[in-house]
Amino acid sequence: MCAHVLVAEDDPKQAELLRRYLEREGHDVLVVHAGRSAIDEARRAEPSLVVLDVMMPKVDGLDVCRVLRAESDLPILMLTARSTEDDLLLGLDLGADDYVAKPYSPRELMARVRTLLRRTRRSQDADRRLFQVGDLVVDPVRHTVTAADRLVECTLAEFRIIETLAAEPERVFTRKQLLERIHGFDRFITERTVDVHVMNLRKKIEPDPRRPVRLLTVYGVGYKLTHA
């Protein structure tokens, strides 16, 4: 799991130890010794992870964390000699993903790094995932639906329904379950309105909406998406 890691640590000896630990794990490491440099390099290099010391002069690690979190969801692991609960909570409240108190165990620190990187990779993989059912493709990131390579325009509620069904093809969803998935977009929606959305979706994705082959009704239960 090789990654590009930015280390911000004002103590040169500690910074060199961190570099060695991380490089031993196979990571590409960039070291800076000041908070301002950490912000600049994070913006320029777009690392996979930032290991950030709290106690740095002028611009400290908490300020760096605040700035970086406002700009991105870059994983941040904070290091600090402060070990009180208030310090821990402050770092986490500012957006740090994890917090390790000094003096730390190198093995524990590397385990925390691996955990953060795994979590980030899983999240990125999920974000990139396309749902494909037959010739129907749903892209949750781009918020698009295509049927037989034809772009389908959907309302928010329609997209939420088709995304839910495409994520688990052949599974039957009740109207109530689908209603729960789209409730955040329309607080006044009723179970009957789900039927209307399904009818409109069929007009958009089915070759013949009167004889659906993709979005099927399971009578007495609900709806499912199947491979046409």
Side-chain angles (χ1 to χ4, degrees), residues 86-166:
D86 286 345
D87 292 325
L88 169 64
L89 294 176
L90 177 58
L92 295 175
D93 285 343
L94 289 175
D97 296 281
D98 204 352
Y99 212 102
V100 178
K102 296 179 178 179
Y104 49 79
S105 156
R107 292 179 62 188
E108 178 190 0
L109 180 60
M110 292 304 103
R112 300 284 188 98
V113 167
R114 288 192 295 270
T115 298
L116 272 179
L117 290 173
R118 277 198 303 269
R119 188 188 307 162
T120 304
R121 296 267 170 87
R122 283 197 298 266
S123 176
Q124 290 171 344
D125 289 344
D127 287 344
R128 286 194 293 265
R129 184 178 178 188
L130 298 178
F131 300 126
Q132 183 164 2
V133 186
D135 61 2
L136 186 76
V137 180
V138 179
D139 186 335
V141 175
R142 292 184 174 84
H143 211 272
T144 59
V145 178
T146 57
D149 296 323
R150 176 179 52 83
L151 186 64
V152 176
E153 297 291 338
C154 294
T155 65
L156 281 173
E158 290 167 359
F159 184 84
R160 179 62 63 159
I161 289 173
I162 200 71
E163 179 187 26
T164 299
L165 295 170

